[in-house]
Amino acid sequence: MPKSSKVTQRAQSHELVTESVADLLAHEEPLDCKLSSLHVPGTGEHPAGAGPHTEGAEEERPAWNSKLQYILAQVGFSVGLGNVWRFPYLCQKNGGGAYLVPYFILLLIIGIPLFFLELAVGQKIRRGSIGVWNYVCPRLGGIGMSSLMVCGFVGLYYNVIIGWSIFYFFQSFQYPLPWSECPIRRNGTLAIVEPECDKSSATTYFWYRQTLNTTSTIAESGGLNVKMTLSLLVAWIIVCLAVIKGIASSGKVMYFSSLFPYVVLLCFLVRGLMLKGSVDGIAHMFTPKLEKMLEPQVWREAATQVFFALGLGFGGVIAFSSYNKIDNNCHFDAVLVSVINFLTSILATLVVFAVLGFKANIMNEKCVAENAERIMGYLNSSVLSPELIPPHVNLSQLSCTDYMDIYNVIRTVKEERFGTLGLQPCVLEDELNKSAQGTGLAFIAFTEAMTHFPASPFWSVMFFFMLINLGLGSMIGTMTGITTPILDAYKVKKELLTVGCCVVAFLCGLLFVQRSGNYFVTMFDDYSAGLPLTVVVILENISVSWVYGTKRFMQDLEDMLGFRPCQIYFYLWKYVSPVCLIVLISASIIEMAFNPPGYSAWVQELAQERFQSYPPWALAMCFSLIVLAMLPLPLVFIARHFNLVSDGSNKLSVSYRRNMMKDMSNLEEQDEARSILRTKLAPAPKIYLTPAGNSSVDHNALSPISCYEAGYQNSTVSPPSPPSPVSPEFDS
């Protein structure tokens, strides 16, 4: 612009800059090169100076067809396999009903506030995880990249679990179920039970030998498992078809994949309550052990479960909310989805322990019957005296109570020789305490219980179809967390990107369908997500509450929602959540330091699991996963701090530059008016209210380069030293 222009003259005459450039940078538009026009179909909103048919207008951003579709997508993403096989295990392990108290407290002070934060920034900035954090603070743009990498790692092994469920689903169309009995090995006329199965159980043998055909160590590859490879291929085809059209296809899939699991859980609950012993399981589950609440480990595991149950840090939450209308009530969404997630965990816990209570009674009765036969043998061989057996007891139909009476009498009388008799106590409580977690719950304990159900194939089909749908809902969110940031940054066809991602993921996933593949699933589950995601979320929290500014963010929410959120969020975002997350990170690092890295290996000769430490190369792989997931954080910060790469703040799209020039010409017209009317048109700075009610002037609200002290580098309009602006680095 020539130095004689009126805009430059006015800047040199120490007049304040009018709205044009300042507001252009301060309001809704992020500084992405190609996608700075953020128009939601149906809202009628267009960038300043650009109508719907302006030359160079950007492609309209997709939007959800309905609010219900969006809520189901968020529920489907947050409610996953962990609600069914992780939450019940933690509840049983950490004090039963007493565990619900720390879980609910941490849900209120960590879960809902951070979930609300992610929904709000995604909805406001209308970008995926990379674009959102580049907008809030370019120096912390590595947050989105780390989030994308974690999504990639998790998606690789999570879909393997869906593949396992698909295999069991198709195996369920048989009667009797193939895991109901041990296979018989024939050698001529001699028929014997498979020794490995006889030492363990039919369901355990089917899982480790027939399904995984696992090796005894992670160092033994064993080659590809063909059945699991085909199941994984089917799983990736299903995921690809579900997300290939973006939210246009995934939103429709969510109607079924999100609602069907609730139908199955309710059916299982009704059926489970009709089973003998189900009440014992539920009573055991919710009998509170209040002393457990004083243990730090319980609070750490509750915080971790809250953290992962809502899918924080993955990018899927941000990606889904970025397709919302700008005035959508995301606070209501955050509370609703969090409550649904919590209630789903309670429902799944009731189902799991009703079924496991039934299984525990079956196993206890089996234990009593086996020991009763052993006692009868001792009576016939005169090892035990018939006088030890009460006259009213019938050994052929021995109840658990009568057996315990006989057991105690024999143990007292034969105190010195009791150990040689091999009698078991057969206590129901011991069976209930054997509750498994993860794959052990779904593919061993639950399948064993279902073999005793009437019409067991039907219930098995329903159960594994439910697992497939739970996994599919989470995988859609994970894939959206990967594809949305890429689509925002690069002009790529959704279909081509989705197919490419699925093909690459399937090829990388072959690592998990070797015979030793389940050990790698455990490795990725332990190391690829836990610590990196916690770091990602605490940086998200800090970048919004301390770098961007909590007061500024609260004002943005008021402008967006039409009401000011409860002031408690100010303190939760600024103080409580960061402190809790720092404690969680510290506890996780301490646990990793004191617990040697290892895995549970299935030893075929013993037909048992044994803990084994990782070999050096596997240990290096574990820590490489952590480093790779967090590497973008320091790299992006260093590169942008020292201006080694552009942060995008000086790269404007053609339409953005055109709008800026129009605003500058408006400045000149206003200068003319000012010289004639001698009026001052400079707008008053925005005034934000702190929770205490004190006012705070902010001259740089909503600036996408708010974490820099320098102003907008590409503008030739340089206002003279403004009067004491609020520091954009930290929000006091």
Side-chain angles (χ1 to χ4, degrees):
M1 183 177 294
K3 290 186 177 180
S4 60
S5 71
K6 294 176 182 176
V7 177
T8 307
Q9 291 172 3
R10 187 173 60 84
Q12 292 172 349
S13 64
H14 304 289
E15 290 186 14
L16 293 176
V17 181
T18 55
E19 289 187 48
S20 59
V21 177
D23 282 5
L24 185 62
L25 297 178
H27 287 88
E28 298 172 0
E29 306 300 325
L31 293 176
D32 283 3
C33 181
K34 292 293 183 185
L35 296 172
S36 59
S37 298
L38 298 179
H39 167 59
V40 181
T43 63
E45 297 176 4
H46 296 278
H53 304 292
T54 304
E55 181 184 355
E58 311 296 340
E59 181 183 357
E60 291 185 348
R61 187 172 185 80
W64 297 103
N65 291 333
S66 66
K67 182 66 174 283
L68 176 62
Q69 190 180 86
Y70 164 68
I71 293 296
L72 290 178
Q74 291 286 16
V75 169
F77 176 53
S78 65
V79 175
L81 299 175
N83 296 77
V84 175
W85 67 30
R86 178 69 176 163
F87 185 89
Y89 163 75
L90 290 175
C91 199
Q92 185 270 340
K93 173 188 173 185
N94 294 315
Y99 172 75
L100 299 179
V101 176
Y103 182 88
F104 188 70
I105 292 173
L106 292 169
L107 179 67
L108 293 178
I109 66 175
I110 296 180
I112 294 178
L114 294 180
F115 192 59
F116 179 27
L117 184 146
E118 287 201 359
L119 290 179
V121 295
Q123 180 173 308
K124 177 66 178 177
I125 302 174
R126 316 289 307 288
R127 288 289 182 271
S129 56
I130 293 178
V132 160
W133 303 113
N134 277 339
Y135 182 96
V136 173
C137 180
R139 289 181 185 176
L140 296 178
I143 294 175
M145 298 180 189
S146 285
S147 177
L148 189 146
M149 292 194 69
V150 171
C151 275
F153 287 147
V154 171
L156 287 179
Y157 76 83
Y158 201 88
N159 220 28
V160 175
I161 300 174
I162 298 178
W164 294 341
S165 302
I166 290 173
F167 175 76
Y168 267 79
F169 172 75
F170 286 108
Q171 291 292 316
S172 299
F173 291 94
Q174 302 179 47
Y175 186 81
L177 291 170
W179 52 81
S180 59
E181 296 178 353
C182 286
I184 303 297
R185 179 187 293 181
R186 297 190 177 276
N187 186 7
T189 58
L190 184 64
I192 60 172
V193 177
E194 178 65 42
E196 185 180 1
C197 183
D198 193 36
K199 292 178 184 177
S200 54
S201 67
T203 52
T204 304
Y205 176 81
F206 186 86
W207 168 242
Y208 283 110
R209 190 56 50 212
Q210 300 287 358
T211 303
L212 301 177
N213 194 18
T214 188
T215 58
S216 296
T217 66
I218 193 173
E220 301 174 38
S221 167
L224 288 178
N225 183 331
V226 177
K227 294 179 289 188
M228 292 300 100
T229 303
L230 294 176
S231 299
L232 179 63
L233 178 61
V234 172
W236 276 114
I237 290 174
I238 294 173
V239 170
C240 184
L241 293 176
V243 300
I244 194 167
K245 292 290 186 181
I247 62 171
S249 59
S250 61
K252 294 181 176 63
V253 173
M254 285 295 182
Y255 280 116
F256 183 79
S257 65
S258 297
L259 294 176
F260 180 74
Y262 290 97
V263 176
V264 176
L265 285 173
L266 289 172
C267 291
F268 262 98
L269 180 61
V270 173
R271 183 67 186 92
L273 291 175
M274 297 168 62
L275 297 171
K276 178 183 178 182
S278 61
V279 177
D280 295 328
I282 293 175
H284 174 77
M285 179 68 248
F286 289 104
T287 300
K289 303 176 181 66
L290 298 178
E291 65 278 3
K292 285 279 191 179
M293 291 179 60
L294 302 177
E295 298 179 10
Q297 177 76 2
V298 174
W299 288 82
R300 188 191 69 80
E301 292 189 345
T304 303
Q305 180 63 18
V306 167
F307 186 76
F308 289 108
L310 295 175
L312 299 174
F314 280 96
V317 172
I318 293 176
F320 280 151
S321 65
S322 72
Y323 299 112
N324 269 332
K325 295 181 179 180
I326 194 68
D327 59 348
N328 174 63
N329 188 350
C330 55
H331 177 258
F332 171 79
D333 300 342
V335 176
L336 177 64
V337 174
S338 300
V339 170
I340 291 176
N341 188 291
F342 177 67
L343 294 178
T344 303
S345 297
I346 299 297
L347 174 62
T349 300
L350 289 171
V351 171
V352 166
F353 276 86
V355 173
L356 292 183
F358 165 69
K359 172 181 174 289
N361 273 268
I362 293 292
M363 299 306 294
N364 200 52
E365 290 175 358
K366 181 180 177 182
C367 176
V368 169
E370 291 175 351
N371 283 273
E373 290 183 5
R374 191 173 288 117
I375 291 173
M376 291 179 66
Y378 291 147
L379 292 173
N380 294 332
S381 60
S382 300
V383 174
L384 294 178
S385 170
E387 296 177 356
L388 297 177
I389 310 300
H392 69 278
V393 172
N394 182 2
L395 288 176
S396 60
Q397 295 180 348
L398 192 62
S399 67
C400 296
T401 304
D402 290 340
Y403 171 74
M404 285 305 301
D405 292 339
I406 297 173
Y407 176 85
N408 291 328
V409 169
I410 295 175
R411 186 174 60 178
T412 303
V413 174
K414 300 287 185 179
E415 182 177 357
E416 296 180 357
R417 298 178 52 200
F418 182 76
T420 62
L421 299 178
L423 298 178
Q424 302 297 322
C426 299
V427 179
L428 181 62
E429 189 77 10
D430 294 340
E431 289 293 336
L432 290 169
N433 284 329
K434 292 180 181 178
S435 302
Q437 66 162 318
T439 54
L441 173 64
F443 299 107
I444 297 177
F446 229 82
T447 52
E448 185 172 347
M450 284 187 293
T451 58
H452 301 287
F453 278 25
S456 55
F458 169 77
W459 294 105
S460 183
V461 167
M462 293 284 283
F463 176 72
F464 288 108
F465 195 39
M466 177 192 72
L467 289 189
I468 293 170
N469 279 274
L470 284 173
L472 182 60
S474 297
M475 273 302 299
I476 289 175
T478 302
M479 286 297 294
T480 304
I482 296 172
T483 58
T484 298
I486 298 176
L487 290 172
D488 288 342
Y490 304 100
K491 194 170 184 179
V492 185
K493 291 190 68 174
K494 287 192 291 283
E495 295 82 358
L496 185 62
L497 176 64
T498 302
V499 172
C501 287
C502 292
V503 170
V504 171
F506 170 72
L507 295 176
C508 294
L510 295 178
L511 172 70
F512 305 102
V513 291
Q514 305 173 92
R515 289 180 56 198
S516 60
N518 60 309
Y519 304 140
F520 288 99
V521 170
T522 302
M523 176 193 293
F524 272 65
D525 188 36
D526 290 341
Y527 292 96
S528 69
L531 185 59
L533 271 185
T534 311
V535 173
V536 164
V537 173
I538 192 173
L539 288 176
E540 289 181 358
N541 193 177
I542 290 173
S543 65
V544 170
S545 60
W546 286 93
V547 178
Y548 184 77
T550 314
K551 288 179 288 186
R552 191 180 305 164
F553 186 57
M554 292 286 283
Q555 182 63 44
D556 292 347
L557 291 175
E558 184 174 0
D559 295 341
M560 184 171 67
L561 303 178
F563 64 91
R564 192 174 186 84
C566 180
Q567 300 294 358
I568 189 65
Y569 285 109
F570 179 93
Y571 300 102
L572 291 175
W573 284 326
K574 197 170 184 70
Y575 304 110
V576 178
S577 295
V579 170
C580 291
L581 290 173
I582 289 172
V583 171
L584 178 58
I585 289 176
S586 303
S588 300
I589 294 174
I590 292 172
E591 184 189 22
M592 290 174 60
F594 283 95
N595 292 337
Y599 62 102
S600 295
W602 178 256
V603 182
Q604 183 174 1
E605 294 75 17
L606 302 175
Q608 289 181 350
E609 284 187 334
R610 285 287 183 268
F611 179 84
Q612 293 188 12
S613 298
Y614 284 117
W617 63 268
L619 198 59
M621 190 174 177
C622 293
F623 290 105
S624 296
L625 291 173
I626 298 175
V627 172
L628 285 174
M630 295 194 295
L631 192 60
L633 297 170
L635 288 182
V636 172
F637 183 87
I638 292 171
R640 288 179 174 168
H641 180 76
F642 293 102
N643 296 320
L644 300 179
V645 296
S646 171
D647 58 28
S649 62
N650 59 348
K651 294 181 179 179
L652 301 179
S653 65
V654 174
S655 60
Y656 198 100
R657 289 181 183 276
R658 183 185 300 115
N659 295 336
M660 187 178 71
M661 295 308 295
K662 286 182 180 179
D663 252 8
M664 286 184 173
S665 90
N666 288 339
L667 272 177
E668 297 185 7
E669 293 176 5
Q670 290 173 3
D671 256 0
E672 295 258 354
R674 187 176 289 110
S675 65
I676 296 173
L677 302 175
R678 301 189 179 277
T679 58
K680 196 169 187 178
L681 302 179
K686 285 188 176 180
I687 298 177
Y688 299 138
L689 295 179
T690 65
N694 302 323
S695 61
S696 174
V697 181
D698 193 343
H699 297 270
N700 196 27
L702 290 174
S703 171
I705 52 174
S706 60
C707 65
Y708 290 109
E709 292 183 351
Y712 182 62
Q713 301 169 1
N714 200 45
S715 174
T716 59
V717 181
S718 303
S721 305
S724 303
V726 173
S727 171
E729 285 288 344
F730 294 99
D731 179 31
S732 58

